[in-house]
Amino acid sequence: MYTDMIQIENDFFVAEIASHGAELKAFSGKRSGRKYLYDGTGSWKRSAPVLFPSIGSLAEGCYVYGGKEYAMPPHGFARDMDFTVQTMQKDMVSFLLTSSEETAAYFPFAFALTITYRLTEQGIETTWQVTNHDERTMYFSIGAHPGFALLPGTQLSDYQLLFDREIPVETRRVMGRYLTEEKELVAPVCRQLQLTPQLLEKDALVLEDTGVEKLTLLCEKADYRLEILFPDFPVVAVWSDPHTIEEAQFLCLEPWCGINALCGDQKADISQKARITALERGKSWQRSYTVCVNE
């Protein structure tokens, strides 16, 4: 689908990233030959989009800033814009998106978003840096949405999700692109959660303020273990397409700094959005998450 593809590699892994959306499109192990990332050819047409400067939808699909109303596309606009390559080495690449007349229609701030992918001996690290070049405080959310391919010959019920601590698994429910105000307990306090189609048939699990900083996806049937480490992320979502959940091809593990609007929210000033990040003028903000696999 994409012709503007950048490839990086080291002795252990190879990855491909599209400059459109700075989206990771492939991540494979050289020794095993396993393709760890979903290829976007099934019911969901993406692989690992970056959600910026919004997650899900805002109330009424818009927000107010400086007395003016701004519409915001679901999951923001960055995933549908062309980035430029800023730095490239054999095992890493850094992409840059800066504010423009096009972004100003949605987001009235001068900003730079840098997304860097770096291969390691264990997997791949993704780093985001957001810089506020505006004279005003900037407000944004940002989230990851990587989809990990289920292995051939396996199904969702062959996998378990392991948390790095015991937690009650409770979630707000997705209603369209909003979240319910109430939370539902879907599993008692546990460290290991058996995955089933029924668990995700109502859409994503959205886990907030659990203290979890590592999720491990296990499949003993296929000797498969994938870890995603996300320190300093207050929210993590677990999702697969509910419309094809009985024949699921992938599972998304999504660290977020931010959250969808709640069903009861009203259109309001962006500074009042729940879990919004406020970045002062001239300042930069950075987060990283890492995917590790057992090759």
Side-chain angles (χ1 to χ4, degrees):
M1 178 179 178
Y2 295 102
T3 56
D4 52 345
M5 201 75 71
I6 303 296
Q7 180 173 294
I8 57 175
E9 64 178 306
N10 62 11
D11 291 340
F12 311 96
F13 302 100
V14 60
E16 295 183 351
I17 306 100
S19 58
H20 185 77
E23 182 178 356
L24 182 65
K25 301 299 291 184
F27 170 56
S28 304
K30 287 186 172 181
R31 185 184 68 81
S32 68
R34 282 180 173 172
K35 297 180 179 181
Y36 291 100
L37 203 68
Y38 169 69
D39 63 8
T41 60
S43 60
W44 184 50
K45 301 305 180 185
R46 301 180 189 262
S47 297
V50 178
L51 317 181
F52 176 87
S54 185
I55 293 171
S57 283
L58 296 169
E60 302 179 44
C62 61
Y63 64 95
V64 176
Y65 182 78
K68 184 178 178 180
E69 186 177 297
Y70 294 86
M72 178 65 71
H75 286 330
F77 52 74
R79 63 179 184 164
D80 294 316
M81 303 201 78
D82 291 328
F83 286 63
T84 57
V85 175
Q86 187 179 40
T87 306
M88 185 175 177
Q89 300 173 6
K90 181 180 179 180
D91 62 352
M92 67 82 65
V93 63
S94 183
F95 295 89
L96 176 66
L97 177 68
T98 56
S99 48
S100 64
E101 289 186 8
E102 185 177 3
T103 66
Y106 308 110
F107 193 60
F109 303 102
F111 72 92
L113 170 61
T114 304
I115 301 177
T116 301
Y117 298 95
R118 184 185 303 274
L119 294 173
T120 69
E121 292 184 8
Q122 292 77 40
I124 187 167
E125 179 188 61
T126 302
T127 299
W128 306 320
Q129 181 173 292
V130 181
T131 301
N132 182 4
H133 292 306
D134 212 283
E135 292 300 312
R136 306 160 294 180
T137 297
M138 186 173 82
Y139 300 93
F140 69 94
S141 299
I142 189 167
H145 201 322
F148 300 107
L150 303 188
L151 296 181
T154 67
Q155 54 190 351
L156 190 62
S157 56
D158 292 322
Y159 292 79
Q160 297 83 41
L161 201 58
L162 179 66
F163 308 108
D164 62 358
R165 63 182 64 201
E166 289 192 340
I167 64 166
V169 183
E170 58 178 1
T171 181
R172 300 182 194 273
R173 284 300 182 184
V174 178
M175 302 292 290
R177 289 189 180 271
Y178 302 138
L179 296 178
T180 59
E181 296 185 57
E182 301 78 19
K183 293 182 180 180
E184 176 185 336
L185 183 68
V186 297
V189 173
C190 63
R191 286 198 65 174
Q192 186 161 315
L193 182 67
Q194 177 65 48
L195 296 176
T196 65
Q198 293 72 32
L199 188 67
L200 296 173
E201 66 183 0
K202 295 181 181 179
D203 217 295
L205 304 180
V206 181
L207 311 179
E208 304 172 62
D209 300 320
T210 61
V212 169
E213 295 187 340
K214 180 174 74 172
L215 290 178
T216 304
L217 184 62
L218 301 170
C219 180
E220 295 180 0
K221 178 180 179 180
D223 188 28
Y224 173 95
R225 182 185 182 96
L226 180 146
E227 297 177 345
I228 181 167
L229 294 79
F230 47 96
D232 300 319
F233 285 80
V235 182
V236 62
V238 181
W239 179 80
S240 192
D241 186 349
H243 299 98
T244 55
I245 196 65
E246 293 291 343
E247 298 82 31
Q249 297 178 305
F250 63 89
L251 185 74
C252 291
L253 304 176
E254 310 175 34
W256 292 350
C257 289
I259 202 167
N260 313 49
L262 303 183
C263 292
D265 289 349
Q266 302 294 317
K267 177 175 58 182
D269 192 276
I270 190 62
S271 64
Q272 303 304 305
K273 171 75 176 63
R275 298 190 180 278
I276 201 75
T277 296
L279 185 61
E280 295 179 0
R281 65 177 185 175
K283 300 292 186 179
S284 292
W285 177 99
Q286 184 170 297
R287 288 291 186 279
S288 297
Y289 72 93
T290 305
V291 175
C292 300
V293 295
N294 62 329
E295 276 286 288

